[in-house]
Amino acid sequence: MKKITFLFCILLLLYVFFPASAQDIEGKKQQYLFFCDALNNIPVNDALLHEKTTKIEKLKSRIMNISAETDIEIYKEFIEVREWLLKNAIEQPTLSSETFAENTDFWILENQKTKVFLTKKELQLIVDNEGRRWEFYPSDEDDIILSASKFSLTSAQKITCQAIPTGYAKGFILQFTDFVSNPDLKIYITFYLSNNNLTIDISSSNISSQLREIRFPKPVKLNASADEKSVLCVMQGMLLPANYPQKFYGKDLTNSRMLYMPWWGHIKGEHGLLSILTTSDDAGIEYQHPEGGPTKVQPIWYSSLGELGYLRSIEYYFYPHATHSTIAKQYRNWVKENKNFVSIKEKIARCPILEKIIGVPVIHVGALYHFEEQSAFFRKDNPQSNHQLIPYSKIAEQLQELKRKGMESAYVHLDGWGYLGYDSGHPDVVPPGYEAGGLEGLKQLSQTCKELGYILALHDQYRDFYLNAVSFNTRLAILNQAGVKEQHKVWCGGPQMILSPRFVPSYVQRNHNWLINHGLEIQGVYLDVFSVVPLEESYEPFCPVTRSECGQYRKAAFQFLKSKGYIMSSEEPTEYFVSVIDLVHHGPYWIQPSLDNGEKVGIPIPLFNLVYHDSLIMPWSITEDGGWGIPKGDAGYLHCILNAGMPYLNISTDENEINRIKELCALAKHCQFLELVNHEFLDETYRKQKTTYSDGTTITVDFDNKTYEVKYP
């Protein structure tokens, strides 16, 4: 009303000082009539149709007799009719249909299919969705973990609640204050309900760089029953029955073997729950499954340089009908809507040479491995074995022989080309190792690969900071929250710290510009461990690094190499880097007690491929029984077939093996651009499995009988 009064005053002044001409009046009449015709488009219900027509016709009559003196009044009448129509329109903008309520015991959010309760006493979350009840564990003393103490959210002496409606959801904000041991600490937790989605946001005031973890919300409660299962992104994927007889424990940040992707799910009967860590840079997980179960999956918010730092958010989606495949596909949809999903086809558009490795095997070869005496792998009983050398010229001969045997194309991954050999002296790896043939020998190997039609990629490393590196300086190493510069001596080069991510891009540029400027032609680069070791932070005062910044520094290294037209690879498939790399070493399953030749845990399932099969090339070991990441009793080549993956090929293999590899390559070439739309078990043993691809191709595998069948559309 104030706006109309103000406008009326302005127009009145204009008419007093600038009287309208007859031509102006006729123009205004036509404009008003045009506006009136548009008002007819506003729909009202049948009971108001007569009143609508009457109001518009009356307004038109007034317009037909418009004059300079009545212009302002007519405009006011037009606004009144318009506002009446919009107020009574059949469809209008609305707030969300969810409701918020509060009583003595609960805060409650509700819509037609979902009802969310949070108990006031224990902060226990309970969700009813379409007939299925999901209970979470209540708050406990591990809610907030600081450097020297831990305490529950319920220990706050003051908890206030405020409703927060939005256009898409209803919610409420809880503010926790007056903690006895931390009187200045304030924590805010907001709950939003929209359709089948519950979102929980967490923020806090600063706490003097003492925060380690926040563990809220709590895990979903499961019963130790075969009817209840957890869908876990542990490496390639794991389906874990809640009553599984073996113990399983794991804890880590995202971008790790414990969490290739930042989500997990639960299935109860036909009902499913998908949980997504939507702010995943400083997030993680803890799995606790005792012998016989049940399973607990605890989300963890790690500090960022000792503080919560920014808003943390988790989303829960509830489904009345779910399998591990449908939950994975729901997450894929979420990724495509919210993140940067890049298909292999898009990657080829940016790096055309990538197309040459679609449907070819990967050959893993090494030039020099030299184990320093301080290395954990140094063998005192057989000193000569600590130095292993295959010259570039010998590797070239082996590749030429492979070509003669019928292997027309391949992707060659070269280890141990650096100055001190494999996993040593990093990040100072140029010039290439003299013992294997030096720069000229590496150039000749590159030329041989080019003549054979093979793609050559170099293994490289910019995390392990070896004390034997010429530029080693403790100031360049990561300083952790405890004020320690971690050091170990596992790999070939012996003692090492961790290079601060701040310096990674510049080292990569220095080394690879050197190789380019010295005339070395390669087609790919592998940056070791970046896509499997979680993002890292450093408290070094002169160059602090958050995990988010670490991720950007790693991506900058990949991006520099991509700008040179190289195929990019890293160790294992984690979501954080899947958009900037093209292939990985492997992405198999979690097995115990060792990832090399251990027993399966739960039921292996291809969750990562259900989300990213058409975005990342995944090699598989072609074993007969077990192997690295392949459970005992499983043939690795059957997992390769089931996933239509890239096969590994031994450089010294025979013609028979080459023929089998060609068959696997043909399958990979057909399916690489296709989405893996479904994975299912065909019997209760879980040993007969079937995958379906987006063009209708199906692959059926029997792990017990070592048979398979491929059906093309």
Side-chain angles (χ1 to χ4, degrees):
M1 197 64 189
K2 288 181 179 179
K3 288 182 180 179
I4 294 175
T5 304
F6 177 75
L7 181 61
F8 179 81
C9 293
I10 295 296
L11 291 174
L12 183 61
L13 288 171
L14 289 173
Y15 276 103
V16 168
F17 292 102
F18 303 100
S21 66
Q23 186 176 2
D24 290 338
I25 295 298
E26 181 61 27
K28 289 179 181 295
K29 180 194 297 185
Q30 296 305 317
Q31 191 171 29
Y32 276 126
L33 291 173
F34 171 71
F35 291 163
C36 277
D37 287 340
L39 292 181
N40 282 305
N41 295 330
I42 301 175
V44 297
N45 62 44
D46 292 344
L48 295 175
L49 277 176
H50 177 71
E51 188 174 356
K52 170 185 173 179
T53 302
T54 301
K55 286 179 179 291
I56 293 175
E57 290 303 317
K58 182 180 178 181
L59 178 60
K60 282 185 176 181
S61 296
R62 291 276 289 141
I63 292 169
M64 295 303 295
N65 297 307
I66 189 171
S67 66
E69 291 75 18
T70 61
D71 189 5
I72 296 300
E73 288 82 1
I74 288 174
Y75 181 77
K76 184 177 178 181
E77 291 176 24
F78 165 74
I79 293 297
E80 289 175 350
V81 173
R82 177 177 180 270
E83 290 184 348
W84 181 86
L85 286 168
L86 291 175
K87 182 179 179 180
N88 291 282
I90 292 175
E91 272 196 271
Q92 304 175 35
T94 61
L95 293 173
S96 69
S97 61
E98 285 75 22
T99 61
F100 168 68
E102 178 181 359
N103 59 34
T104 305
D105 300 316
F106 299 98
W107 294 289
I108 305 165
L109 293 171
E110 184 176 5
N111 61 28
Q112 188 174 359
K113 294 182 179 180
T114 306
K115 195 169 186 177
V116 177
F117 302 87
L118 183 67
T119 66
K120 292 185 173 181
K121 183 178 180 181
E122 296 181 306
L123 296 180
Q124 182 182 14
L125 191 62
I126 302 166
V127 180
D128 285 331
N129 173 257
E130 299 198 42
R132 169 57 68 179
R133 185 178 180 88
W134 300 89
E135 291 190 17
F136 293 65
Y137 284 91
S139 169
D140 60 34
E141 291 184 355
D142 288 331
D143 288 347
I144 305 168
I145 301 177
L146 306 184
S147 296
S149 64
K150 61 181 182 177
F151 48 91
S152 168
L153 286 164
T154 57
S155 67
Q157 296 184 80
K158 184 178 181 181
I159 303 175
T160 60
C161 177
Q162 182 180 7
I164 178 167
T166 74
Y168 58 87
K170 285 287 195 314
F172 62 93
I173 308 165
L174 296 183
Q175 179 178 313
F176 300 82
T177 55
D178 296 348
F179 292 93
V180 174
S181 57
N182 291 270
D184 296 329
L185 175 63
K186 296 180 181 179
I187 293 180
Y188 303 87
I189 303 181
T190 308
F191 300 79
Y192 300 95
L193 178 64
S194 176
N195 298 318
N196 68 330
N197 166 224
L198 173 65
T199 299
I200 301 176
D201 290 348
I202 303 176
S203 63
S204 82
S205 61
N206 292 340
I207 42 183
S208 304
S209 300
Q210 295 301 304
L211 179 66
R212 294 297 180 94
E213 300 175 8
I214 290 181
R215 292 169 165 252
F216 189 88
K218 293 302 181 182
V220 170
K221 284 186 176 182
L222 299 176
N223 298 307
S225 162
D227 194 46
E228 300 188 9
K229 303 177 181 69
S230 296
V231 183
L232 308 178
C233 296
V234 179
M235 297 186 68
Q236 178 66 229
M238 177 193 299
L239 187 64
L240 190 64
N243 66 345
Y244 192 70
Q246 297 178 23
K247 177 182 178 180
F248 171 63
Y249 176 83
K251 179 188 176 187
D252 211 334
L253 288 137
T254 59
N255 194 57
S256 70
R257 285 172 180 158
M258 285 294 107
L259 213 57
Y260 273 1
M261 300 177 285
W263 67 272
W264 66 95
H266 299 296
I267 297 173
K268 291 187 174 186
E270 292 187 353
H271 290 256
L273 166 60
L274 168 63
S275 312
I276 304 175
L277 297 168
T278 58
T279 53
S280 60
D281 289 7
D282 296 282
I285 204 77
E286 183 178 43
Y287 307 108
Q288 297 182 58
H289 180 91
E291 293 181 3
T295 310
K296 290 183 181 179
V297 182
Q298 174 64 63
I300 301 174
W301 308 111
Y302 289 91
S303 67
S304 176
L305 295 181
E307 306 288 353
L308 195 62
Y310 56 92
L311 185 73
R312 310 301 182 90
S313 187
I314 185 170
E315 294 184 3
Y316 296 98
Y317 293 86
F318 303 89
Y319 305 103
H321 305 285
T323 66
H324 66 274
S325 285
T326 62
I327 291 176
K329 302 320 290 185
Q330 292 290 345
Y331 180 71
R332 175 184 165 96
N333 291 339
W334 185 91
V335 167
K336 298 191 84 169
E337 291 172 355
N338 294 278
K339 292 197 174 185
N340 184 25
F341 182 93
V342 183
S343 70
I344 288 288
K345 287 185 177 180
E346 293 175 276
K347 292 177 180 180
I348 288 173
R350 300 175 187 177
C351 177
I353 199 170
L354 176 60
E355 190 165 15
K356 292 187 177 181
I357 69 168
I358 304 299
V360 308
V362 55
I363 301 170
H364 199 141
V365 294
L368 175 62
Y369 299 84
H370 177 82
F371 295 88
E372 297 288 345
E373 190 169 357
Q374 292 174 286
S375 166
F377 290 105
F378 184 83
R379 292 187 58 185
K380 293 182 179 180
D381 60 334
N382 186 12
Q384 188 175 351
S385 66
N386 294 307
H387 191 83
Q388 303 168 20
L389 175 65
I390 303 177
Y392 301 135
S393 58
K394 177 63 175 177
I395 294 172
E397 290 175 5
Q398 291 175 306
L399 293 175
Q400 288 168 337
E401 178 62 22
L402 198 62
K403 181 81 170 189
R404 284 191 289 270
K405 292 177 181 176
M407 196 69 251
E408 293 299 322
S409 55
Y411 174 82
V412 180
H413 174 105
L414 178 64
D415 287 343
W417 62 273
Y419 189 73
L420 296 179
Y422 180 76
D423 272 2
S424 187
H426 289 283
D428 302 310
V429 293
V430 293
Y434 292 115
E435 296 153 281
L439 176 63
E440 292 306 316
L442 188 53
K443 284 184 180 180
Q444 186 56 52
L445 175 59
S446 173
Q447 181 61 29
T448 299
C449 286
K450 187 175 182 180
E451 292 169 356
L452 296 174
Y454 291 2
I455 298 296
L456 177 64
L458 300 184
H459 180 291
D460 209 352
Q461 231 279 30
Y462 294 92
R463 178 180 180 267
D464 297 347
F465 194 18
Y466 287 91
L467 274 61
N468 65 0
V470 67
S471 66
F472 178 78
N473 184 324
T474 58
R475 294 298 301 277
L476 306 184
I478 280 178
L479 180 71
N480 68 20
Q481 190 172 7
V484 174
K485 302 224 168 188
E486 298 176 34
Q487 182 173 328
H488 71 75
K489 51 185 179 180
V490 175
W491 312 118
C492 300
Q496 66 165 83
M497 290 185 180
I498 301 171
L499 180 66
S500 171
R502 162 65 184 85
F503 306 107
V504 165
S506 296
Y507 268 115
V508 171
Q509 291 176 26
R510 180 202 68 169
N511 290 345
H512 286 275
N513 277 334
W514 189 97
L515 294 172
I516 291 169
N517 292 337
H518 284 76
L520 178 66
E521 294 184 26
I522 55 174
Q523 293 77 46
V525 178
Y526 168 100
L527 295 185
D528 197 15
V529 308
F530 274 0
S531 182
V532 70
V533 169
L535 303 179
E536 296 168 297
E537 59 181 6
S538 178
Y539 288 74
E540 179 62 60
F542 83 96
C543 61
V545 178
T546 66
R547 292 188 185 92
S548 296
E549 291 167 339
C550 170
Q552 293 307 309
Y553 285 129
R554 290 184 185 181
K555 284 184 175 180
F558 285 119
Q559 182 56 42
F560 170 78
L561 295 167
K562 285 172 72 70
S563 75
K564 306 305 177 184
Y566 297 151
I567 296 168
M568 291 311 307
S569 58
S570 191
E571 188 163 356
E572 294 178 40
T574 55
E575 182 176 276
Y576 197 94
F577 297 101
V578 71
S579 66
V580 295
I581 60 177
D582 306 310
L583 75 156
V584 291
H585 256 4
H586 37 228
Y589 301 101
W590 182 263
I591 55 179
Q592 293 180 174
S594 166
L595 282 175
D596 190 9
N597 202 32
E599 301 282 353
K600 70 177 181 180
V601 179
I603 304 154
I605 50 176
L607 289 182
F608 192 90
N609 281 343
L610 280 164
V611 178
Y612 285 113
H613 178 270
D614 53 338
S615 178
L616 194 70
I617 301 171
M618 185 86 67
W620 292 82
S621 297
I622 308 304
T623 62
E624 289 292 334
D625 189 343
W628 199 95
I630 305 296
K632 287 182 179 178
D634 284 9
Y637 70 87
L638 289 179
H639 284 290
C640 182
I641 291 169
L642 190 68
N643 288 276
M646 181 188 215
Y648 269 98
L649 176 64
N650 189 301
I651 196 170
S652 301
T653 195
D654 58 26
E655 287 86 348
N656 290 334
E657 181 66 10
I658 287 175
N659 289 332
R660 182 168 73 151
I661 290 296
K662 285 182 176 180
E663 183 181 350
L664 302 187
C665 286
L667 177 60
K669 187 170 186 176
H670 176 81
C671 294
Q672 185 61 74
F673 300 120
L674 303 176
E675 177 186 350
L676 173 55
V677 296
N678 192 40
H679 169 264
E680 57 190 307
F681 298 104
L682 301 182
D683 62 16
E684 295 181 356
T685 69
Y686 300 110
R687 303 294 288 164
K688 294 180 180 179
Q689 303 178 23
K690 179 181 178 181
T691 51
T692 303
Y693 292 83
S694 53
D695 73 337
T697 297
T698 61
I699 303 169
T700 305
V701 166
D702 185 330
F703 283 99
D704 285 335
N705 295 313
K706 290 189 176 182
T707 59
Y708 66 91
E709 181 182 23
V710 180
K711 290 184 178 180
Y712 295 103

